[in-house]
Amino acid sequence: NAGVTQTPKFRVLKTGQSMTLLCAQDMNHEYMYWYRQDPGMGLRLIHYSVGEGTTAKGEVPDGYNVSRLKKQNFLLGLESAAPSQTSVYFCASSYHTGGLETQYFGPGTRLLVL
Amino acid sequence: AQSVTQLDSQVPVFEEAPVELRCNYSSSVSVYLFWYVQYPNQGLQLLLKYLSGSTLVKGINGFEAEFNKSQTSFHLRKPSVHISDTAEYFCAVSDPQAAGNKLTFGGGTRVLVKP
């Protein structure tokens, strides 16, 4: 059981470049999430998905897009990277029982935008 | 909407000493409460959670937390820390009525255990 995995682990982009972060989970979880972590600000929700084919905006969605074509995968895209998107990105997944479920986190992707 | 405030950004503590990490939340509805830990260069993992019932919740690695509804607090404690407890700790809340099982996190507290 790999749990939640993220690809890549580290990436450097130039301003204006695009990239996709991949999250995969093997726990058959319905819900998946993308967060960004910045010093002193904790984790902030970017987008989330409550099932295959569905996505919704979180707290800080601007500049990001997501897709959930398969239940086990959740992709985060940056179409035109900006220095403000330099951050550590975490994917998480959980079962779908209302609000009380533990979220399981991946190891993170460190992104530097120059 | 909810918000979470962790009152200490950093807490230095000597090995075998007790530690308390403070968390206050704001919400117009009843919430579930969580503490997550992030060891260096890793993702977050659950320490403990409060859903209902007894206000004292015990978690992994000897940690416990007490829910205080009147003070809207959920402070985390450990009576005797180890070097391996050096990590960042996050308090979080979720709204049982909201879709998506979403978490709102506090800013985190870095714990540095000194020998």
Side-chain angles (χ1 to χ4, degrees), chain B residues 38-79:
Chain B
Q38 183 182 30
Y39 297 106
N41 299 311
Q42 294 186 27
L44 280 71
Q45 57 184 273
L46 182 73
L47 269 181
L48 50 81
K49 58 184 174 182
Y50 173 79
L51 306 179
S52 65
S54 172
T55 58
L56 185 62
V57 181
K58 294 190 183 300
I60 61 170
N61 300 339
F63 284 93
E64 62 181 33
E66 184 148 24
F67 170 57
N68 188 318
K69 187 174 182 179
S70 63
Q71 297 188 2
T72 59
S73 67
F74 191 52
H75 300 334
L76 180 71
R77 302 185 185 97
K78 186 170 182 177

Side-chain angles (χ1 to χ4, degrees), chain B residues 8 14 29 46-47 56 61 70-71 82 84 94 97 108 111:
Chain B
D8 305 295
F14 286 105
V29 299
L46 182 73
L47 269 181
L56 185 62
N61 300 339
S70 63
Q71 297 188 2
H82 302 292
S84 59
S94 72
Q97 305 303 321
V111 173

Side-chain angles (χ1 to χ4, degrees), chain A residues 33 37 94 99-100 102-103, chain B residues 36 38 46 49 90 94 100-101:
Chain A
Y33 312 84
Q37 183 182 25
S94 77
L100 54 78
T102 300
Q103 291 190 13
Chain B
Y36 282 83
Q38 183 182 30
L46 182 73
K49 58 184 174 182
F90 293 95
S94 72
N101 192 32

Side-chain angles (χ1 to χ4, degrees), chain B residues 6 9 19 64 80 98 103 113:
Chain B
Q6 292 183 240
S9 59
V19 70
E64 62 181 33
S80 176
L103 290 171
V113 181

